[in-house]
Amino acid sequence: MNSVKPGEPFGTAQDHTVVAVTTVDEMRDRIRRKSKLKGRQVDEVALHEVRALVGDAPHPRDLLIEHLHKLNDAYRALHDRHLVALAREMNIPMAEVYEVATFYHHFEVLKCDAMASALTVRVCSGLSCELAGGADLLARLPALLGVADVRVIPAPCVGRCEQAPVVVVHQNPVIQATVESVVLAVNSAASAYPASKENLNFIASELAERSVSPQLNVTQVAPDYTGYERYRANGGYALATALANQTHDPEAVIQIMEDAGLRGLGGAGFPAGKKWRIVREQPGPRLMAVNIDEGEPGTFKDRTYLERDPHRFLEGMLVAAQVVGVDACYIYLRDEYHGCRAILEAELARLQANPPFALPRIELRRGAGAYICGEESAMIESIEGKRGEPRMRPPYIAQVGLFGRPTLQHNFETLYWVRDIVEKGAGWFSGFGRHGRQGLRSFSVSGRVKHPGVKLAPAGITLQELVDEYCGGMLEGHTLYAYLPGGASGGIFPVSLANVPLDFDTLQPHGGFIGSAAVIVLGHHDKARNAALNMMRFFEEESCGQCTPCRMGTVKAARLMEAPVWDNDTLEDLNQVMTDASICGLGQAAPNPVRCVQKYFPQEIV
């Protein structure tokens, strides 16, 4: 072996031995292998199929979920070949497309040549449907349908609790379902949502202190609604037009909102006028995001109003946009509400074709089956085409919201009442109320009552008054035992608390809250522990998984609650960790039903 002499530069020594480490052919083969792209390659047929549905590039990143819906609607599932092609078409990493597609319940990702079921039948597993026999339907339907390519699966609350039990055949809700009616719908291929007719002059304010929903014997899946021309003929959009033409003072509108005491009706209860002031003070451009996800079990008020009177909501949205100075409005609609989506698409097209004034940009976005997207920041993530995971705060969305801009976020019903409050005056709204409370509340009432439905009742009404005066009393054979005042999160109260006023801030001392005013009534044949377990299983299914206390705590709690005797010490440990360490309201409120059972119904768990 030759060595380099001291002082001699490396590489100048003579007689070095040259050793070949590879041949020329091997080097060429390595180059060929490296030149091939890693990962699954785009199938040209799949790319053509994707382009036929989503159109030509470029595609904004925030349209990812909308494009996934187009594929899912066309093929009844998401095939991985289409996901690869969509990633190429949108110039998004495949991993990002996949993680979004697998986050939402309504997307089923199929690998390779797996075939999608020709028909999916969803049986609602919400508490109201469970009380009405939904579990029996879920157990019997697979054998009765007897078709290999019909898939029968449980589904979380579908937002039709007053019509329980409900089974959805593809997109067609079968209300007050029986095995016979579901089998008939499947065998007759009745899988499309029935069309609504524009043949109604609906004025909700005339139903104050009355029932909004019809009685069950005349309930329709697709009721008639008020269309654009009829709405305008009855004074619709006059207020929004006056603001646009600067003949109405925006400050006066905010003052009326504040004087009326209108608070957010999606659950949080933040004063509407105050919210408008906060967002208006932020630098532009400002955006608006409207939450119509309505996923809280027991809640169906937004659907009830929207499927009858879409333009009253749209005008309220446009009034808020004019007052706050909003450049674009994004409406986030629950995917289960197929009829509402068809109505909104048609009526938005009519509004935009013949606008009463220059409209801001309005976009309708479709949810995909994720309860967590009812949380405002998770909804914004979903509108942006991402997984619906709540954001850490601060900053709050009023400062840094949709697409990084200051954002006014509202629930549907909050905006729905804006026109009536401004036109009738603050005193009209605040003049309602009982037991020292003010305003109107739309209670979604279901469970063991004779006449379930949306009840437009005074704020502060008690559960006993609501049942007796608005619901015709309890069902035959049932006496009042317990009730859930605010859906899954609001706790479970005994009959001894049936005379507590139902409103913001009145239920917290008892371990619950009113939230979206989703009232589920239990009879003496029911058990509060079973209701609490139903809710915890719901939270387990719907946790976004972002934070460990919620993701694991709901699973562990549900297992412990299945035991005949509850391990209260361990459950309380879980309750405390979920309450203290979860970053959003789902994990923080999930313990409420558990704690209420431990406090008010101890005889059921020992």
Side-chain angles (χ1 to χ4, degrees), residues 202-210 212 239 255-263 265 305 309 312 413-434 437-442 456-459:
F202 185 84
I203 303 175
S205 61
E206 296 179 353
L207 298 174
E209 299 188 307
R210 293 168 56 189
V212 177
L239 172 61
Q255 191 61 54
I256 291 174
M257 292 293 103
E258 292 176 333
D259 293 344
L262 180 66
R263 298 173 65 172
L265 298 174
Y305 290 124
D309 193 14
R312 195 171 305 271
E413 195 196 354
T414 311
L415 297 171
Y416 184 80
W417 291 115
V418 167
R419 175 192 168 187
D420 285 299
I421 290 173
V422 176
E423 291 184 347
K424 298 176 187 297
W428 169 77
F429 187 80
S430 63
F432 295 98
R434 292 189 188 179
R437 313 303 295 183
Q438 291 185 327
L440 283 170
R441 292 305 304 264
S442 299
L456 186 53

Short mmCIF file of all heavy atoms in Angstrom, two decimals, residues 202-210 212 239 255-263 265 305 309 312 413-434 437-442 456-459:
data_model
loop_
_atom_site.label_atom_id
_atom_site.label_comp_id
_atom_site.label_asym_id
_atom_site.label_seq_id
_atom_site.Cartn_x
_atom_site.Cartn_y
_atom_site.Cartn_z
N PHE A 202 -94.26 32.08 5.46
CA PHE A 202 -93.95 31.72 6.85
C PHE A 202 -93.44 32.95 7.59
O PHE A 202 -92.46 33.58 7.18
CB PHE A 202 -92.89 30.62 6.87
CG PHE A 202 -92.59 30.09 8.24
CD1 PHE A 202 -93.38 29.10 8.81
CD2 PHE A 202 -91.52 30.58 8.98
CE1 PHE A 202 -93.10 28.61 10.08
CE2 PHE A 202 -91.24 30.10 10.24
CZ PHE A 202 -92.03 29.11 10.80
N ILE A 203 -94.10 33.28 8.71
CA ILE A 203 -93.69 34.41 9.53
C ILE A 203 -93.56 33.91 10.96
O ILE A 203 -94.55 33.75 11.69
CB ILE A 203 -94.70 35.57 9.45
CG1 ILE A 203 -94.87 36.01 7.98
CG2 ILE A 203 -94.24 36.75 10.31
CD1 ILE A 203 -95.94 37.06 7.78
N ALA A 204 -92.34 33.66 11.37
CA ALA A 204 -92.10 33.01 12.65
C ALA A 204 -92.57 33.86 13.83
O ALA A 204 -93.02 33.33 14.84
CB ALA A 204 -90.62 32.69 12.80
N SER A 205 -92.46 35.18 13.70
CA SER A 205 -92.83 36.04 14.83
C SER A 205 -94.30 35.89 15.20
O SER A 205 -94.69 36.13 16.35
CB SER A 205 -92.53 37.50 14.50
OG SER A 205 -93.27 37.93 13.36
N GLU A 206 -95.13 35.47 14.26
CA GLU A 206 -96.54 35.25 14.54
C GLU A 206 -96.77 33.99 15.37
O GLU A 206 -97.88 33.76 15.87
CB GLU A 206 -97.34 35.18 13.24
CG GLU A 206 -97.34 36.49 12.45
CD GLU A 206 -98.12 36.39 11.15
OE1 GLU A 206 -98.55 35.27 10.80
OE2 GLU A 206 -98.29 37.43 10.49
N LEU A 207 -95.72 33.18 15.49
CA LEU A 207 -95.81 31.94 16.26
C LEU A 207 -95.21 32.09 17.66
O LEU A 207 -95.03 31.09 18.35
CB LEU A 207 -95.11 30.80 15.52
CG LEU A 207 -95.70 30.44 14.15
CD1 LEU A 207 -94.84 29.42 13.44
CD2 LEU A 207 -97.13 29.92 14.30
N ALA A 208 -94.91 33.32 18.06
CA ALA A 208 -94.37 33.54 19.40
C ALA A 208 -95.33 33.00 20.45
O ALA A 208 -96.55 33.21 20.37
CB ALA A 208 -94.11 35.03 19.63
N GLU A 209 -94.77 32.27 21.41
CA GLU A 209 -95.52 31.62 22.49
C GLU A 209 -96.46 30.54 21.94
O GLU A 209 -97.51 30.25 22.52
CB GLU A 209 -96.28 32.65 23.34
CG GLU A 209 -95.35 33.64 24.02
CD GLU A 209 -96.05 34.54 25.01
OE1 GLU A 209 -97.05 35.18 24.62
OE2 GLU A 209 -95.60 34.61 26.16
N ARG A 210 -96.02 29.92 20.84
CA ARG A 210 -96.76 28.81 20.25
C ARG A 210 -95.77 27.75 19.76
O ARG A 210 -94.56 27.94 19.83
CB ARG A 210 -97.62 29.30 19.07
CG ARG A 210 -98.75 30.23 19.47
CD ARG A 210 -99.36 30.90 18.25
NE ARG A 210 -99.85 29.93 17.26
CZ ARG A 210 -100.26 30.26 16.05
NH1 ARG A 210 -100.22 31.52 15.65
NH2 ARG A 210 -100.69 29.34 15.21
N VAL A 212 -93.93 25.91 16.82
CA VAL A 212 -93.54 26.16 15.43
C VAL A 212 -93.75 24.89 14.60
O VAL A 212 -94.22 24.95 13.46
CB VAL A 212 -92.08 26.63 15.35
CG1 VAL A 212 -91.64 26.82 13.91
CG2 VAL A 212 -91.88 27.92 16.15
N LEU A 239 -84.80 46.28 5.02
CA LEU A 239 -83.84 46.73 6.03
C LEU A 239 -82.41 46.63 5.51
O LEU A 239 -81.63 47.60 5.64
CB LEU A 239 -84.00 45.89 7.30
CG LEU A 239 -82.95 46.11 8.40
CD1 LEU A 239 -82.96 47.54 8.89
CD2 LEU A 239 -83.18 45.13 9.55
N GLN A 255 -77.42 49.26 18.49
CA GLN A 255 -78.05 49.66 19.75
C GLN A 255 -79.33 48.88 20.00
O GLN A 255 -79.61 48.46 21.13
CB GLN A 255 -78.35 51.16 19.73
CG GLN A 255 -78.77 51.72 21.09
CD GLN A 255 -77.68 51.56 22.13
OE1 GLN A 255 -76.54 51.98 21.94
NE2 GLN A 255 -78.02 50.90 23.25
N ILE A 256 -80.10 48.64 18.94
CA ILE A 256 -81.32 47.84 19.09
C ILE A 256 -80.97 46.41 19.50
O ILE A 256 -81.64 45.82 20.35
CB ILE A 256 -82.13 47.86 17.78
CG1 ILE A 256 -82.71 49.25 17.53
CG2 ILE A 256 -83.26 46.82 17.82
CD1 ILE A 256 -83.40 49.41 16.19
N MET A 257 -79.93 45.85 18.89
CA MET A 257 -79.51 44.50 19.27
C MET A 257 -79.15 44.45 20.75
O MET A 257 -79.51 43.50 21.46
CB MET A 257 -78.29 44.07 18.44
CG MET A 257 -78.55 43.84 16.95
SD MET A 257 -79.61 42.43 16.64
CE MET A 257 -81.13 43.29 16.28
N GLU A 258 -78.45 45.44 21.22
CA GLU A 258 -78.03 45.47 22.62
C GLU A 258 -79.23 45.67 23.55
O GLU A 258 -79.33 45.02 24.59
CB GLU A 258 -76.99 46.57 22.83
CG GLU A 258 -75.67 46.28 22.12
CD GLU A 258 -74.66 47.41 22.24
OE1 GLU A 258 -75.09 48.58 22.38
OE2 GLU A 258 -73.45 47.12 22.17
N ASP A 259 -80.13 46.57 23.16
CA ASP A 259 -81.31 46.84 23.99
C ASP A 259 -82.24 45.63 24.05
O ASP A 259 -82.90 45.40 25.08
CB ASP A 259 -82.07 48.05 23.46
CG ASP A 259 -81.29 49.36 23.60
OD1 ASP A 259 -80.30 49.37 24.38
OD2 ASP A 259 -81.65 50.34 22.93
N ALA A 260 -82.31 44.89 22.96
CA ALA A 260 -83.17 43.71 22.93
C ALA A 260 -82.61 42.57 23.77
O ALA A 260 -83.35 41.68 24.20
CB ALA A 260 -83.37 43.24 21.49
N GLY A 261 -81.30 42.59 24.01
CA GLY A 261 -80.67 41.53 24.77
C GLY A 261 -80.48 40.25 23.99
O GLY A 261 -80.37 39.16 24.58
N LEU A 262 -80.42 40.36 22.65
CA LEU A 262 -80.22 39.16 21.83
C LEU A 262 -78.83 38.59 22.08
O LEU A 262 -77.82 39.30 21.96
CB LEU A 262 -80.39 39.48 20.35
CG LEU A 262 -80.19 38.30 19.38
CD1 LEU A 262 -81.29 37.26 19.58
CD2 LEU A 262 -80.17 38.78 17.93
N ARG A 263 -78.78 37.31 22.43
CA ARG A 263 -77.51 36.62 22.67
C ARG A 263 -77.36 35.48 21.68
O ARG A 263 -78.33 35.04 21.05
CB ARG A 263 -77.45 36.10 24.11
CG ARG A 263 -77.53 37.22 25.13
CD ARG A 263 -77.64 36.72 26.56
NE ARG A 263 -76.45 35.99 26.99
CZ ARG A 263 -76.25 35.60 28.27
NH1 ARG A 263 -77.16 35.86 29.19
NH2 ARG A 263 -75.15 34.94 28.58
N LEU A 265 -77.48 32.22 19.95
CA LEU A 265 -78.44 31.15 20.19
C LEU A 265 -77.92 29.79 19.74
O LEU A 265 -78.69 28.84 19.61
CB LEU A 265 -79.76 31.48 19.49
CG LEU A 265 -80.44 32.76 20.02
CD1 LEU A 265 -81.67 33.11 19.19
CD2 LEU A 265 -80.81 32.61 21.49
N TYR A 305 -86.57 26.18 11.03
CA TYR A 305 -86.74 27.52 10.45
C TYR A 305 -86.18 27.60 9.03
O TYR A 305 -86.81 28.18 8.14
CB TYR A 305 -86.04 28.56 11.33
CG TYR A 305 -86.70 28.81 12.66
CD1 TYR A 305 -85.99 28.67 13.85
CD2 TYR A 305 -88.03 29.20 12.74
CE1 TYR A 305 -86.59 28.90 15.08
CE2 TYR A 305 -88.64 29.43 13.96
CZ TYR A 305 -87.91 29.28 15.14
OH TYR A 305 -88.50 29.52 16.35
N ASP A 309 -88.14 29.12 5.88
CA ASP A 309 -88.00 30.57 5.75
C ASP A 309 -86.52 30.95 5.57
O ASP A 309 -85.94 31.62 6.43
CB ASP A 309 -88.57 31.22 7.02
CG ASP A 309 -88.78 32.71 6.89
OD1 ASP A 309 -88.74 33.23 5.76
OD2 ASP A 309 -88.97 33.37 7.94
N ARG A 312 -85.26 35.04 5.61
CA ARG A 312 -85.20 35.82 6.85
C ARG A 312 -83.81 35.67 7.48
O ARG A 312 -83.25 36.62 8.00
CB ARG A 312 -86.29 35.38 7.83
CG ARG A 312 -86.52 36.37 8.96
CD ARG A 312 -87.77 35.96 9.75
NE ARG A 312 -88.93 35.83 8.88
CZ ARG A 312 -89.76 36.83 8.59
NH1 ARG A 312 -89.55 38.04 9.08
NH2 ARG A 312 -90.80 36.63 7.79
N GLU A 413 -79.72 30.84 14.10
CA GLU A 413 -80.91 31.44 14.69
C GLU A 413 -80.67 32.86 15.18
O GLU A 413 -81.58 33.70 15.15
CB GLU A 413 -81.45 30.58 15.84
CG GLU A 413 -82.87 31.00 16.22
CD GLU A 413 -83.34 30.48 17.56
OE1 GLU A 413 -82.63 29.68 18.19
OE2 GLU A 413 -84.44 30.90 17.99
N THR A 414 -79.46 33.16 15.63
CA THR A 414 -79.16 34.52 16.05
C THR A 414 -79.44 35.50 14.92
O THR A 414 -80.07 36.55 15.12
CB THR A 414 -77.69 34.63 16.49
OG1 THR A 414 -77.37 33.56 17.39
CG2 THR A 414 -77.41 35.96 17.16
N LEU A 415 -78.98 35.17 13.72
CA LEU A 415 -79.20 36.03 12.56
C LEU A 415 -80.65 35.99 12.10
O LEU A 415 -81.16 36.98 11.55
CB LEU A 415 -78.28 35.61 11.42
CG LEU A 415 -76.77 35.75 11.71
CD1 LEU A 415 -75.95 35.10 10.61
CD2 LEU A 415 -76.40 37.22 11.85
N TYR A 416 -81.32 34.90 12.34
CA TYR A 416 -82.70 34.73 11.89
C TYR A 416 -83.62 35.78 12.50
O TYR A 416 -84.57 36.25 11.86
CB TYR A 416 -83.19 33.33 12.24
CG TYR A 416 -84.58 33.01 11.74
CD1 TYR A 416 -84.79 32.64 10.42
CD2 TYR A 416 -85.68 33.09 12.59
CE1 TYR A 416 -86.07 32.34 9.96
CE2 TYR A 416 -86.95 32.79 12.14
CZ TYR A 416 -87.15 32.41 10.82
OH TYR A 416 -88.41 32.13 10.36
N TRP A 417 -83.35 36.21 13.73
CA TRP A 417 -84.25 37.14 14.43
C TRP A 417 -83.88 38.61 14.21
O TRP A 417 -84.57 39.51 14.70
CB TRP A 417 -84.27 36.83 15.92
CG TRP A 417 -84.93 35.53 16.23
CD1 TRP A 417 -84.35 34.43 16.77
CD2 TRP A 417 -86.30 35.20 16.02
NE1 TRP A 417 -85.26 33.42 16.89
CE2 TRP A 417 -86.47 33.86 16.44
CE3 TRP A 417 -87.40 35.89 15.50
CZ2 TRP A 417 -87.70 33.21 16.36
CZ3 TRP A 417 -88.63 35.25 15.43
CH2 TRP A 417 -88.77 33.92 15.86
N VAL A 418 -82.80 38.91 13.50
CA VAL A 418 -82.33 40.28 13.37
C VAL A 418 -83.39 41.18 12.72
O VAL A 418 -83.69 42.27 13.23
CB VAL A 418 -81.01 40.32 12.57
CG1 VAL A 418 -80.68 41.76 12.16
CG2 VAL A 418 -79.87 39.76 13.42
N ARG A 419 -83.95 40.76 11.60
CA ARG A 419 -84.93 41.62 10.91
C ARG A 419 -86.11 41.93 11.81
O ARG A 419 -86.53 43.10 11.93
CB ARG A 419 -85.41 40.94 9.62
CG ARG A 419 -86.52 41.75 8.94
CD ARG A 419 -87.23 40.98 7.83
NE ARG A 419 -88.45 41.68 7.43
CZ ARG A 419 -89.35 41.18 6.59
NH1 ARG A 419 -89.17 39.98 6.05
NH2 ARG A 419 -90.43 41.88 6.30
N ASP A 420 -86.68 40.93 12.47
CA ASP A 420 -87.86 41.16 13.30
C ASP A 420 -87.55 42.09 14.47
O ASP A 420 -88.36 42.95 14.82
CB ASP A 420 -88.40 39.82 13.82
CG ASP A 420 -89.14 39.04 12.75
OD1 ASP A 420 -90.14 39.54 12.23
OD2 ASP A 420 -88.69 37.93 12.41
N ILE A 421 -86.39 41.91 15.07
CA ILE A 421 -86.04 42.75 16.22
C ILE A 421 -85.87 44.20 15.80
O ILE A 421 -86.36 45.13 16.47
CB ILE A 421 -84.76 42.21 16.90
CG1 ILE A 421 -85.06 40.88 17.59
CG2 ILE A 421 -84.20 43.22 17.90
CD1 ILE A 421 -83.84 40.18 18.15
N VAL A 422 -85.19 44.44 14.68
CA VAL A 422 -84.96 45.82 14.24
C VAL A 422 -86.27 46.47 13.80
O VAL A 422 -86.57 47.62 14.15
CB VAL A 422 -83.91 45.87 13.10
CG1 VAL A 422 -83.76 47.29 12.57
CG2 VAL A 422 -82.57 45.36 13.61
N GLU A 423 -87.08 45.73 13.03
CA GLU A 423 -88.33 46.31 12.52
C GLU A 423 -89.38 46.49 13.62
O GLU A 423 -90.12 47.48 13.62
CB GLU A 423 -88.88 45.44 11.40
CG GLU A 423 -88.05 45.48 10.13
CD GLU A 423 -88.66 44.70 8.99
OE1 GLU A 423 -89.61 43.92 9.22
OE2 GLU A 423 -88.18 44.85 7.85
N LYS A 424 -89.46 45.57 14.55
CA LYS A 424 -90.47 45.64 15.59
C LYS A 424 -89.99 46.40 16.83
O LYS A 424 -90.81 46.79 17.67
CB LYS A 424 -90.92 44.22 15.99
CG LYS A 424 -91.56 43.42 14.87
CD LYS A 424 -91.88 42.00 15.34
CE LYS A 424 -92.37 41.14 14.19
NZ LYS A 424 -93.63 41.62 13.62
N GLY A 425 -88.68 46.57 16.93
CA GLY A 425 -88.13 47.28 18.07
C GLY A 425 -87.62 46.33 19.14
O GLY A 425 -88.09 45.19 19.28
N ALA A 426 -86.64 46.82 19.91
CA ALA A 426 -86.03 45.99 20.95
C ALA A 426 -87.05 45.50 21.96
O ALA A 426 -86.96 44.37 22.47
CB ALA A 426 -84.92 46.78 21.64
N GLY A 427 -88.06 46.34 22.24
CA GLY A 427 -89.05 45.97 23.24
C GLY A 427 -89.90 44.79 22.85
O GLY A 427 -90.42 44.08 23.72
N TRP A 428 -90.06 44.58 21.52
CA TRP A 428 -90.84 43.40 21.10
C TRP A 428 -90.18 42.13 21.59
O TRP A 428 -90.84 41.26 22.18
CB TRP A 428 -90.97 43.37 19.57
CG TRP A 428 -91.53 42.06 19.08
CD1 TRP A 428 -92.83 41.66 19.12
CD2 TRP A 428 -90.79 40.95 18.54
NE1 TRP A 428 -92.95 40.38 18.62
CE2 TRP A 428 -91.71 39.92 18.26
CE3 TRP A 428 -89.43 40.74 18.27
CZ2 TRP A 428 -91.32 38.70 17.72
CZ3 TRP A 428 -89.04 39.53 17.73
CH2 TRP A 428 -89.98 38.52 17.45
N PHE A 429 -88.88 42.01 21.39
CA PHE A 429 -88.16 40.78 21.77
C PHE A 429 -88.01 40.69 23.29
O PHE A 429 -88.31 39.66 23.89
CB PHE A 429 -86.80 40.76 21.08
CG PHE A 429 -86.05 39.46 21.26
CD1 PHE A 429 -86.35 38.36 20.48
CD2 PHE A 429 -85.04 39.35 22.21
CE1 PHE A 429 -85.66 37.16 20.63
CE2 PHE A 429 -84.34 38.16 22.37
CZ PHE A 429 -84.66 37.06 21.58
N SER A 430 -87.55 41.78 23.90
CA SER A 430 -87.29 41.74 25.34
C SER A 430 -88.57 41.71 26.16
O SER A 430 -88.55 41.42 27.36
CB SER A 430 -86.44 42.94 25.76
OG SER A 430 -87.13 44.16 25.51
N GLY A 431 -89.72 42.01 25.52
CA GLY A 431 -90.98 42.01 26.23
C GLY A 431 -91.48 40.63 26.59
O GLY A 431 -92.36 40.48 27.45
N PHE A 432 -90.94 39.59 25.93
CA PHE A 432 -91.29 38.22 26.31
C PHE A 432 -90.42 37.80 27.49
O PHE A 432 -89.33 38.32 27.71
CB PHE A 432 -91.07 37.27 25.13
CG PHE A 432 -91.98 37.54 23.96
CD1 PHE A 432 -91.54 38.28 22.86
CD2 PHE A 432 -93.27 37.04 23.94
CE1 PHE A 432 -92.36 38.52 21.78
CE2 PHE A 432 -94.11 37.28 22.86
CZ PHE A 432 -93.66 38.02 21.78
N GLY A 433 -90.88 36.81 28.22
CA GLY A 433 -90.06 36.29 29.31
C GLY A 433 -90.89 35.92 30.52
O GLY A 433 -92.01 36.43 30.72
N ARG A 434 -90.35 35.02 31.30
CA ARG A 434 -90.98 34.60 32.55
C ARG A 434 -89.93 34.53 33.65
O ARG A 434 -88.73 34.36 33.37
CB ARG A 434 -91.65 33.23 32.41
CG ARG A 434 -92.86 33.19 31.50
CD ARG A 434 -93.57 31.85 31.60
NE ARG A 434 -94.62 31.73 30.59
CZ ARG A 434 -95.39 30.65 30.44
NH1 ARG A 434 -95.23 29.62 31.26
NH2 ARG A 434 -96.33 30.61 29.50
N ARG A 437 -86.81 36.66 33.48
CA ARG A 437 -85.94 36.55 32.30
C ARG A 437 -86.58 37.31 31.14
O ARG A 437 -87.78 37.59 31.13
CB ARG A 437 -85.71 35.09 31.92
CG ARG A 437 -85.34 34.18 33.06
CD ARG A 437 -84.10 34.63 33.81
NE ARG A 437 -82.92 34.58 32.95
CZ ARG A 437 -81.68 34.87 33.38
NH1 ARG A 437 -81.48 35.25 34.64
NH2 ARG A 437 -80.67 34.79 32.56
N GLN A 438 -85.77 37.61 30.09
CA GLN A 438 -86.26 38.39 28.96
C GLN A 438 -85.89 37.71 27.64
O GLN A 438 -84.80 37.16 27.49
CB GLN A 438 -85.65 39.80 28.97
CG GLN A 438 -86.14 40.68 30.10
CD GLN A 438 -85.60 42.09 30.00
OE1 GLN A 438 -84.48 42.30 29.54
NE2 GLN A 438 -86.38 43.06 30.44
N GLY A 439 -86.82 37.79 26.68
CA GLY A 439 -86.55 37.32 25.33
C GLY A 439 -87.35 36.08 24.97
O GLY A 439 -88.15 35.55 25.75
N LEU A 440 -87.14 35.62 23.74
CA LEU A 440 -87.75 34.40 23.23
C LEU A 440 -86.68 33.34 23.07
O LEU A 440 -85.54 33.65 22.73
CB LEU A 440 -88.42 34.65 21.87
CG LEU A 440 -89.76 35.36 21.86
CD1 LEU A 440 -90.13 35.74 20.43
CD2 LEU A 440 -90.85 34.48 22.47
N ARG A 441 -87.06 32.08 23.27
CA ARG A 441 -86.15 30.97 23.01
C ARG A 441 -86.87 29.92 22.18
O ARG A 441 -88.04 29.63 22.43
CB ARG A 441 -85.64 30.33 24.32
CG ARG A 441 -84.72 31.17 25.16
CD ARG A 441 -83.50 31.67 24.40
NE ARG A 441 -82.73 30.60 23.80
CZ ARG A 441 -81.66 30.03 24.35
NH1 ARG A 441 -81.25 30.42 25.54
NH2 ARG A 441 -80.99 29.11 23.73
N SER A 442 -86.16 29.36 21.23
CA SER A 442 -86.69 28.26 20.42
C SER A 442 -86.22 26.96 21.07
O SER A 442 -85.05 26.59 20.95
CB SER A 442 -86.20 28.36 18.99
OG SER A 442 -86.63 29.58 18.39
N LEU A 456 -91.61 28.02 20.40
CA LEU A 456 -91.11 29.39 20.51
C LEU A 456 -91.70 29.98 21.78
O LEU A 456 -92.78 30.58 21.78
CB LEU A 456 -91.49 30.20 19.27
CG LEU A 456 -90.93 31.62 19.17
CD1 LEU A 456 -89.42 31.63 19.34
CD2 LEU A 456 -91.32 32.25 17.84
N ALA A 457 -91.00 29.81 22.89
CA ALA A 457 -91.52 30.11 24.22
C ALA A 457 -90.73 31.23 24.88
O ALA A 457 -89.61 31.56 24.46
CB ALA A 457 -91.47 28.85 25.08
N PRO A 458 -91.29 31.82 25.92
CA PRO A 458 -90.56 32.89 26.61
C PRO A 458 -89.32 32.35 27.32
O PRO A 458 -89.34 31.25 27.89
CB PRO A 458 -91.57 33.41 27.64
CG PRO A 458 -92.85 32.72 27.39
CD PRO A 458 -92.60 31.57 26.50
N ALA A 459 -88.25 33.11 27.28
CA ALA A 459 -87.06 32.76 28.05
C ALA A 459 -87.46 32.70 29.52
O ALA A 459 -88.26 33.51 30.00
CB ALA A 459 -85.97 33.79 27.84
#
